[in-house]
Amino acid sequence: MLDLQQLINGVYDDLQSSVGQGRVADYIPELAKVDPRKFGIAVTTLDGETVSVGDADESFSIQSISKVFALTLALGKIGDGLWRVGREPSGTAFNSIIQLEQEQGLPRNPFINARAIVVADILLAGHKPREAIGEILRFSRFVANDETVSIDPDVARSEQATGFRNVALANYMRSFGNIKHPTELTLGVYFHQCAIEMSCRQLSHAGVFLANGGRDPHTLQSIVSHERARRINALMLTCGHYDGSGDFAFRVGLPGKSGVGGGIMAIAPGRASIAVWSPGLNAQGNSMLGTRALELIAQRTGWSVFGP
Ligand code: GLN
């Protein structure tokens, strides 16, 4: 029998000499303050049990991992039409603007910033920004099965003060009519969703419905249909790491979504949800040690969407 606790302890120990590798994101000043030596792993299996090691109970900024929860909510709000455009990998950086000019302001997929801003704009429809932010936060708490999940106001403020590229993306898309609300309101929603904080333990729980055909194994509540869970997983596999998505699929072989806070949520369908956190990033803005940890976990468990 697979002893998961022992397995992740082994991965954690084996990677100790690499702790601190990579570059902590500093384009959001508040994130630059995070200790680069933090390292945590948590795995939640389909029976709802969680094992963890290292700094797995410490909250960190989930950043772009929130795009999975916002997408799930927006699919609930407007349905599968959201996929009509927007399911191709971009092969570009998460904050790139280059394809927008060539493709009439229609961003490729909901995991790059441009389309995530469109998703925030969809969630804003019919609401005040405060209400839309509240809805995303409530949903994040619901999937994490933890009411203590919160937004770090300092990170949100820091992004609001320095998110010039996101402002450019939003304004550029608005010129095509692809953003419906004043961009400062839409961006307010986007920046606050990125500033949600979770621990690895909470995040691994928050992803487990995607490993379990859309159902929370703990509460047995169906969060999305099987089909929708599969599609979200497909998108995480092909687009969840931006221009590093191919490398992640090659090395880890599981759907995953990264954030510049150094977190990654990976889904082993039919098995478990895995959350890792290490703030040092690679050139594509994905956690360096986190990716390595997931690579070892996938190897040692044999979990892969590409076969045994
Ligand atoms: N809030 C970050 C940004 O918009 C999210 C980017 C990320 O995590 N890749 O730049």
Side-chain angles (χ1 to χ4, degrees), residues 27-28 62-65 67 94-95 113 159 166 190-191 194 242 257-261 285:
Y27 75 100
I28 301 171
I62 69 168
Q63 291 293 319
S64 284
I65 303 171
K67 291 172 180 163
F94 63 87
N95 55 5
N113 285 13
E159 292 209 49
N166 290 321
Y190 173 75
F191 289 139
C194 289
Y242 323 109
K257 183 74 207 80
S258 67
V260 288

Side-chain angles (χ1 to χ4, degrees), residues 146-159:
D146 192 331
E147 287 301 307
T148 67
V149 169
S150 59
I151 291 175
D152 183 336
D154 294 334
V155 173
R157 225 173 292 125
S158 191
E159 292 209 49

Side-chain angles (χ1 to χ4, degrees), residues 133-206:
I133 294 163
E135 201 178 344
I136 302 170
L137 181 61
R138 266 193 303 282
F139 184 68
S140 305
R141 287 176 173 164
F142 170 61
V143 287
N145 200 23
D146 192 331
E147 287 301 307
T148 67
V149 169
S150 59
I151 291 175
D152 183 336
D154 294 334
V155 173
R157 225 173 292 125
S158 191
E159 292 209 49
Q160 222 136 13
T162 59
F164 308 116
R165 286 203 190 199
N166 290 321
V167 173
L169 291 170
N171 280 314
Y172 196 69
M173 291 189 291
R174 190 143 201 235
S175 75
F176 288 93
N178 294 336
I179 294 282
K180 312 286 181 215
H181 302 90
T183 50
E184 61 277 13
L185 301 189
T186 300
L187 286 168
V189 175
Y190 173 75
F191 289 139
H192 280 82
Q193 101 181 30
C194 289
I196 292 174
E197 291 189 307
M198 285 193 198
S199 65
C200 288
R201 177 178 294 277
Q202 291 167 330
L203 189 60
S204 72
H205 197 112

Side-chain angles (χ1 to χ4, degrees), residues 38-78:
K38 294 289 177 189
F39 182 29
I41 305 175
V43 183
T44 301
T45 47
L46 297 199
D47 53 12
E49 295 298 317
T50 302
V51 294
S52 69
V53 64
D55 301 311
D57 287 302
E58 196 169 318
S59 292
F60 60 90
S61 192
I62 69 168
Q63 291 293 319
S64 284
I65 303 171
S66 67
K67 291 172 180 163
V68 178
F69 308 128
L71 169 68
T72 306
L73 258 183
L75 283 166
K77 187 167 177 178
I78 68 163

